[in-house]
Amino acid sequence: MKVLLVEDEQLVRVFIVEYFKKQGALVVEAQDGYEAIMKLDDSFDIVLLDIMMPGIDGYEVCKLIRQKSDVPILFISALSEEENKLKGYELGADDFISKPFTPSLLYAKCNALLRRIRGEKELKEGIIEVNENTHEVKVSEESITLSHKEYYLLVYLMKNKNKVITRSQLLDQVWGYDYFGDQRIVDTYIKKLRKKLGEAAPYIQTIVKSGYMFAKK
């Protein structure tokens, strides 16, 4: 699960991120609505959106997101009145959670929302099968275990099959826009991923001086 968390309170972000990461989720943080709109792309599974924020509030952010994406949106709100929830639903929100809440409940609501919206969602390319709800990956019908970054690398490459993907693009999509480390970390994870894919390793091709491409040989 790749999550865009839009929340201006740092303590709340830390509270959510720590729990979600322990569950294997990848969380990209945005401190306000402007940053959220800048970071949003098609790779996210769900947006967790606070309503009361400085600058543009969550309602306005929701409207802007709905102009270009149907990504599931779950509002995080200290506003419990029915009219606030109705306004959110009218703007395109899919669910709400009221503060205070436990991170385990929020995570459970995210999973339930994704199951409801998606149903079972699978990627299949050659001998590789990926269940995007359970994150189960199979090669030749045998399950393999991937770390969350290996999993998101594989899914992103599969969804962009036959396209050359640069290291910078992979860093942005898998590590997040706020990663400023060495780009060679991508090569390290690709090496690990290929090893786990075994006979399917050749599907991930190295494009010299460019990056990587997923293509069935």
Side-chain angles (χ1 to χ4, degrees), residues 44-68:
F44 288 98
D45 298 303
I46 192 167
V47 175
L48 303 181
L49 180 58
D50 188 24
I51 292 180
M52 299 176 68
M53 296 185 294
I56 55 175
D57 64 19
Y59 294 130
E60 187 63 28
V61 175
C62 184
K63 268 201 300 189
L64 292 171
I65 290 175
R66 282 291 172 257
Q67 289 174 11
K68 65 176 185 177

Side-chain angles (χ1 to χ4, degrees), residues 20-100:
F20 274 52
K21 283 188 174 179
K22 287 179 183 176
Q23 308 309 310
L26 174 65
V27 183
V28 176
E29 300 175 53
Q31 299 181 52
D32 56 44
Y34 298 109
E35 187 178 1
I37 296 301
M38 182 179 69
K39 289 184 173 180
L40 182 68
D41 58 38
D42 292 337
S43 70
F44 288 98
D45 298 303
I46 192 167
V47 175
L48 303 181
L49 180 58
D50 188 24
I51 292 180
M52 299 176 68
M53 296 185 294
I56 55 175
D57 64 19
Y59 294 130
E60 187 63 28
V61 175
C62 184
K63 268 201 300 189
L64 292 171
I65 290 175
R66 282 291 172 257
Q67 289 174 11
K68 65 176 185 177
S69 174
D70 60 357
V71 63
I73 297 173
L74 192 156
F75 267 128
I76 298 172
S77 177
L79 304 173
S80 58
E81 290 83 358
E82 184 175 334
E83 63 184 45
N84 293 309
K85 292 184 178 181
L86 286 173
K87 182 177 180 181
Y89 286 128
E90 288 170 0
L91 292 172
D94 296 285
D95 204 351
F96 273 81
I97 191 168
S98 297
K99 297 178 181 178

Side-chain angles (χ1 to χ4, degrees), residues 112-122 131-133:
L113 175 58
L114 290 176
R115 284 196 302 270
R116 187 172 79 237
I117 290 175
R118 291 175 170 174
E120 287 296 313
K121 187 174 180 183
E122 292 192 354
N131 185 312
E132 290 191 79
N133 287 333

Side-chain angles (χ1 to χ4, degrees), residues 192-211:
K192 291 179 180 178
L193 177 57
R194 281 174 170 156
K195 185 175 181 180
K196 291 182 179 180
L197 289 175
E199 60 184 310
Y203 288 10
I204 300 178
Q205 302 175 15
T206 300
I207 308 301
V208 179
K209 295 183 180 179
S210 297

Side-chain angles (χ1 to χ4, degrees), residues 127-180:
I127 59 174
I128 301 177
E129 297 176 64
V130 178
N131 185 312
E132 290 191 79
N133 287 333
T134 64
H135 287 195
E136 183 181 17
V137 179
K138 291 182 179 181
V139 176
S140 294
E141 300 186 356
E142 293 290 327
S143 293
I144 62 172
T145 302
L146 302 181
S147 70
H148 74 276
K149 282 196 169 53
E150 291 164 354
Y151 171 83
Y152 284 109
L153 269 174
L154 176 61
V155 168
Y156 187 73
L157 288 167
M158 289 178 72
K159 287 184 175 180
N160 291 277
K161 65 180 180 179
N162 300 320
K163 296 179 184 177
V164 177
I165 307 298
T166 67
R167 290 170 178 80
S168 293
Q169 286 176 295
L170 290 171
L171 283 172
D172 288 345
Q173 298 300 324
V174 179
W175 276 262
Y177 288 90
D178 52 355
Y179 179 81
F180 297 105

Side-chain angles (χ1 to χ4, degrees), residues 19-20 74 97-98 100-112:
Y19 183 85
F20 274 52
L74 192 156
I97 191 168
S98 297
F101 56 83
T102 62
S104 57
L105 176 60
L106 177 60
Y107 187 77
K109 284 180 79 73
C110 288
N111 277 323

